[in-house]
Amino acid sequence: MEEPQHRIRAAHSESTITVYQAYSPEIGLPAVRDGRFPAAWKRDRMTWIKPSFMWMMYRCGWGLKEGQETVLAVEISREGFEWALRHACLSHYVPELHADQAEWKRQLKQAPARVQWDPERDLHFNALPYRSLQLGLAGEATVRYADEWIVGIEDVTPLAREVHAQVRAGELGRATELLPEERSYPVAEEELAHLRR
């Protein structure tokens, strides 16, 4: 079956969805220990969460990039995630969705969340012909994320390193077996209608 161009793929349960972020150990390790972000985590900055493990690997270079050495799997409530989707604006202008660029800029400035769809990546970080959701949180969404939505935080840096080791060894089948199981996230069509370009 052909993969849809825009679909949220994620590890999820009946009540939660797992998203990924990568931080320096100064942020990441206390977050894992305490189950919440430490005071050093900036609430006034936009934070991007990624439901795709492989897109996170591409972004943080298997947790080897400076400042991204600790890879976190953050389990958040589906209720919170879907609130963010409902209140999000696309990070780029689409004529079919916005009256004009000025209206899009107004929406973007006011929205507490923004969405971009980036090419999903394979184990060698090659772009695949379908896209994965990145969700940027700002303002109210950042506060809700940090204070209300988080159910648990796990350090998946060892997993990132193990998958990378298998890829480097040419053991792509083994690497694939280690990946988190990501399946289509059940979200109503109308929830994504304003975000599908």
Side-chain angles (χ1 to χ4, degrees), residues 89 99-111:
C89 177
D100 53 38
Q101 281 207 325
E103 189 221 350
W104 164 71
K105 284 181 181 173
R106 272 194 306 277
Q107 282 183 16
L108 191 65
K109 193 172 181 182
Q110 293 170 355

Side-chain angles (χ1 to χ4, degrees), residues 67-83:
Q68 300 185 60
E69 301 92 342
T70 308
V71 185
L72 305 179
V74 185
E75 193 179 7
I76 64 173
S77 71
R78 282 173 54 161
E79 186 180 329
F81 181 73
E82 289 169 23
W83 181 93

Side-chain angles (χ1 to χ4, degrees), residues 89-134:
C89 177
L90 271 178
S91 62
H92 63 280
Y93 169 65
V94 175
E96 295 87 354
L97 293 178
H98 310 107
D100 53 38
Q101 281 207 325
E103 189 221 350
W104 164 71
K105 284 181 181 173
R106 272 194 306 277
Q107 282 183 16
L108 191 65
K109 193 172 181 182
Q110 293 170 355
R114 61 183 59 176
V115 159
Q116 58 188 56
W117 297 91
D118 295 308
E120 181 59 284
R121 301 288 163 164
D122 69 11
L123 288 165
H124 292 295
F125 296 159
N126 297 311
L128 293 170
Y130 51 89
R131 293 177 176 265
S132 282
L133 177 98
Q134 322 304 321

Side-chain angles (χ1 to χ4, degrees), residues 29-94:
L29 297 180
V32 172
R33 182 190 66 221
D34 302 332
R36 57 185 292 126
F37 290 110
W41 188 76
K42 304 285 189 229
R43 290 165 176 265
D44 55 352
R45 292 178 56 186
M46 176 163 283
T47 190
W48 288 87
I49 58 177
K50 303 156 183 68
S52 164
F53 180 81
M54 276 309 304
W55 210 92
M56 185 72 257
M57 294 304 96
Y58 166 69
R59 180 73 182 82
C60 72
W62 303 109
L64 298 173
K65 288 186 181 177
E66 187 176 352
Q68 300 185 60
E69 301 92 342
T70 308
V71 185
L72 305 179
V74 185
E75 193 179 7
I76 64 173
S77 71
R78 282 173 54 161
E79 186 180 329
F81 181 73
E82 289 169 23
W83 181 93
L85 290 178
R86 282 195 304 276
H87 292 85
C89 177
L90 271 178
S91 62
H92 63 280
Y93 169 65
V94 175

